[in-house]
Amino acid sequence: MKTFYLTTAIDYVNGSPHLGHAYEKVLSDVIARFRRLMGDQVWFLTGTDEHGQKVQQSARKHGVDPQAFVDSVSQEFRALCAKLEISNDDFIRTTEERHKRVVRQILQQLYDKGEIYKADYKGFYSTRQEQFLQDKDRNPDGSWPELFGEVTEITESNYFFKLKAYQDWLIEHIRTHEDFIFPRYRAKQVLEFLKEPLNDLCISRPRERLEWGIPLPFDEGFVTYVWFDALLNYYSAVADKPGIWPATFHVIGKDILVPPHAVYWPIMLQAAGLPLPRSLLAHGWWSINGAKMSKSTGNFVDAGTYCDTYGVDALRYFLIREMSVGQDSDFSQAQFLTRYNTELANNLGNLVNRTLNMTNRFAGATVPAAEVAEAPETDLRALWEKTRDEAIALHETFQFHVALERTFAFITSTNAYIELRAPWKLGKSSDPKDQALLRTSLATMAEALRLGVTLLAAVMPGTTRKIQGVLGYTPGSVWADELVWGNRLTGCKVAATAILFPRATA
Ligand code: MSP
């Protein structure tokens, strides 16, 4: 079986993690967990992108050497992963030896093949920002914006990678591999970009301008351009692990699809004679209260604080329920609280509480067997089977938000079933038929709850575990079997109470 190899973008360590980083990790984690539940062998990689100008500048600003700086910020990203319960198998840092070795090896190989050449580069350079500028950076009147300081035209020798030679091949690859770019409409954007002739890619920076990078193996006077270095993480992390490469999915944000992931990366692999990833999955961006996320203006959400206040699963649920993969979305405290209170505290929380309370009150805390199957029971069971089949199909196509909506609709229907059967009334009757119905209703609500939370396992793993725990249930190892309606809880001893999502106020 081919390993399902999943990666996230590796984050720049010039600043602390934010909600956008958290989302990408949670989304990837849901995919990884779902594939594992489906029985796939998964390898899930995330990590940090630690070289380049911006990192060097940030380290300088903090008055520390770049290595100490990246060590500390990278640790924050690692801690965020742990907090979000990300189930990554590996965490790569581009300053690690294992990565640098592979980057240098591939550079040497491309150089030996004649895919890299040296040439003069002439352009406008901002000393203050330490970067080459392009015409698009100019003010409408042609002058340079204030932030660039003094701009001079300079000529610099650099190394170039022959992108242009692969343009027709890449267009053909994208046209003939429909699943290379997801969502599919984004492939159009890539093909649009490829209508213009590509320029070869400048992959070096002279050492006197930039120290913080991987030296070129064939010319130590230069370091590697950060994107060329960073993209190779996906390969370097598994280069010595047989059977993993190529990647199945690279999960990235829409901003880094074109050109790095959809143009540079496939061409780099093709030139190096390595197999291409199956798909790039480009997700949308979060805004906060309708505006761009920005630390300086305070329009900022700290994912860690949300986990501490509401629980990690509340945040995971919101991120996945609110955003349709590929589209943009907005994060607001009001919308977060609405979903938290109505969907998690009321709908799911109520079902858990009622199931535990009534099983304790009417059955000595032991789940009875179902004895009757009348319309309310068979309808609920039919709804379950439909919900499960749809939810799995929706997971397969990354429509997790719809899968969650359907699952919660099933939970709503289970609460409605309880209202309909009204066990609290049946409990007052000594009629044997009512008693059989009472036992049936207790068994049915517990079974429906067990099934519903099994379906939530990829998005809210901790909640699934907790609810299985209070139901006194240990699931088997085959997820698909766990999704079959089957009175599995008969005889299980349930807990007295459980507080999962206490109601929250603004
Ligand atoms: N270091 C590069 C990626 C190299 S991959 C070989 C980079 N880093 S980043 O830290 O700027 O962004 C990391 C990921 O976070 C990207 O996929 C980016 O799209 C994502 N997000 C950053 N801000 C975001 C939002 N506001 N919303 C959603 N995702 C966002 O790019």
Side-chain angles (χ1 to χ4, degrees):
M1 185 187 359
K2 160 81 180 85
T3 299
F4 188 98
Y5 177 29
L6 180 74
T7 68
T8 70
I10 50 171
D11 304 316
Y12 286 130
V13 290
N14 51 319
S16 298
H18 56 59
L19 188 79
H21 301 125
Y23 170 70
E24 184 169 303
K25 291 185 172 43
V26 171
L27 169 64
S28 307
D29 187 57
V30 171
I31 298 171
R33 286 179 188 269
F34 172 68
R35 294 308 341 165
R36 288 194 201 100
L37 291 168
M38 295 296 282
D40 288 354
Q41 195 174 308
V42 173
W43 190 258
F44 175 18
L45 175 75
T46 187
T48 41
D49 185 354
E50 307 190 359
H51 289 125
Q53 196 89 48
K54 283 193 216 153
V55 173
Q56 184 172 295
Q57 278 168 348
S58 299
R60 235 179 245 158
K61 224 167 51 201
H62 286 82
V64 286
D65 84 30
Q67 189 63 53
F69 181 72
V70 298
D71 285 350
S72 124
V73 184
S74 176
Q75 192 48 45
E76 288 183 45
F77 280 91
R78 222 185 258 266
L80 177 71
C81 286
K83 191 152 214 166
L84 292 169
E85 288 210 32
I86 304 304
S87 62
N88 53 304
D89 297 288
D90 192 5
F91 187 102
I92 187 151
R93 302 180 52 190
T94 54
T95 51
E96 284 171 330
E97 251 340 289
R98 60 169 172 159
H99 173 71
K100 294 195 257 188
R101 194 175 52 240
V102 172
V103 171
R104 285 166 62 92
Q105 217 175 301
I106 299 232
L107 279 165
Q108 186 67 53
Q109 185 193 331
L110 292 174
Y111 184 72
D112 293 344
K113 268 183 73 189
E115 302 282 355
I116 290 172
Y117 61 94
K118 196 173 187 183
D120 280 344
Y121 182 82
K122 195 167 161 199
F124 289 96
Y125 187 75
S126 151
T127 322
R128 185 186 295 167
Q129 296 296 332
E130 299 182 33
Q131 72 179 80
F132 275 98
L133 305 177
Q134 291 172 352
D135 276 337
K136 67 173 169 48
D137 297 318
R138 289 180 193 267
N139 288 322
D141 69 358
S143 62
W144 297 105
E146 189 54 37
L147 88 143
F148 294 123
E150 193 194 346
V151 175
T152 45
E153 196 170 19
I154 63 167
T155 302
E156 193 177 87
S157 263
N158 264 310
Y159 287 89
F160 290 82
F161 171 54
K162 291 183 177 169
L163 274 194
K164 206 188 313 182
Y166 290 88
Q167 181 155 4
D168 292 342
W169 164 81
L170 181 60
I171 293 172
E172 189 58 19
H173 181 82
I174 295 172
R175 288 215 175 114
T176 51
H177 293 75
E178 284 208 342
D179 57 357
F180 185 56
I181 296 165
F182 184 94
R184 279 202 195 150
Y185 60 80
R186 293 230 177 258
K188 281 206 197 90
Q189 185 191 335
V190 182
L191 290 169
E192 199 56 39
F193 178 86
L194 288 169
K195 277 190 179 152
E196 296 294 315
L198 284 176
N199 291 321
D200 287 346
L201 180 67
C202 178
I203 54 141
S204 65
R205 299 292 181 265
R207 277 294 252 294
E208 58 271 18
R209 264 212 294 127
L210 177 68
E211 258 301 313
W212 190 239
I214 303 177
L216 294 182
F218 43 84
D219 190 341
E220 300 272 331
F222 292 83
V223 298
T224 312
Y225 169 48
V226 66
W227 268 105
F228 198 95
D229 155 358
L231 285 162
L232 279 165
N233 89 88
Y234 303 133
Y235 176 70
S236 69
V238 297
D240 61 353
K241 294 183 176 64
I244 298 188
W245 188 259
T248 315
F249 273 96
H250 291 310
V251 177
I252 54 170
K254 61 177 187 180
D255 58 316
I256 56 173
L257 178 67
V258 190
H261 283 83
V263 179
Y264 304 162
W265 183 225
I267 294 181
M268 284 163 68
L269 290 165
Q270 179 72 4
L274 289 165
L276 263 56
R278 193 179 93 194
S279 296
L280 306 170
L281 192 168
H283 62 73
W285 267 42
W286 286 94
S287 56
I288 314 274
N289 302 314
K292 199 171 156 40
M293 199 181 307
S294 156
K295 215 165 191 182
S296 52
T297 63
N299 197 37
F300 191 77
V301 165
D302 180 38
T305 309
Y306 271 79
C307 295
D308 294 340
T309 313
Y310 304 99
V312 54
D313 279 356
L315 180 66
R316 289 176 62 110
Y317 174 76
F318 182 79
L319 293 176
I320 299 300
R321 176 66 187 85
E322 189 71 16
M323 192 178 247
S324 157
V325 174
Q327 311 282 307
D328 293 338
S329 223
D330 187 54
F331 192 104
S332 73
Q333 168 75 358
Q335 177 68 351
F336 178 89
L337 281 183
T338 302
R339 287 208 184 278
Y340 177 91
N341 281 327
T342 56
E343 293 158 28
L344 298 178
N346 289 353
N347 199 4
L348 178 59
N350 266 351
L351 178 58
V352 173
N353 288 336
R354 287 165 135 185
T355 304
L356 299 186
N357 288 346
M358 288 188 261
T359 310
N360 276 284
R361 199 160 129 210
F362 299 118
T366 304
V367 180
E371 296 165 41
V372 185
E374 292 176 356
E377 287 76 27
T378 51
D379 286 354
L380 190 64
R381 181 174 174 160
L383 176 65
W384 162 252
E385 275 152 15
K386 186 165 171 274
T387 303
R388 174 198 56 202
D389 295 349
E390 284 178 0
I392 290 181
L394 288 161
H395 274 71
E396 295 278 6
T397 51
F398 311 115
Q399 298 179 73
F400 302 115
H401 65 302
V402 191
L404 285 177
E405 185 189 55
R406 301 279 158 82
T407 308
F408 273 75
F410 172 71
I411 290 168
T412 305
S413 296
T414 306
N415 276 317
Y417 164 83
I418 298 174
E419 295 291 329
L420 187 80
R421 279 299 186 208
W424 47 91
K425 285 189 194 147
L426 297 168
K428 288 188 189 137
S429 157
S430 52
D431 179 340
K433 179 143 193 290
D434 284 344
Q435 287 297 312
L437 266 185
L438 172 64
R439 288 189 291 274
T440 299
S441 67
L442 296 175
T444 304
M445 69 178 84
E447 180 64 359
L449 172 59
R450 178 190 74 80
L451 290 162
V453 302
T454 304
L455 209 44
L456 293 175
V459 179
M460 303 206 281
T463 300
T464 300
R465 276 195 310 271
K466 254 190 236 162
I467 296 178
Q468 285 164 340
V470 296
L471 288 173
Y473 180 67
T474 310
S477 59
V478 180
W479 192 58
D481 292 349
E482 293 301 313
L483 295 171
V484 177
W485 187 293
N487 285 315
R488 282 177 191 247
L489 294 171
T490 309
C492 284
K493 195 105 187 134
V494 307
T497 51
I499 298 171
L500 293 162
F501 300 104
R503 268 196 76 81
T505 46

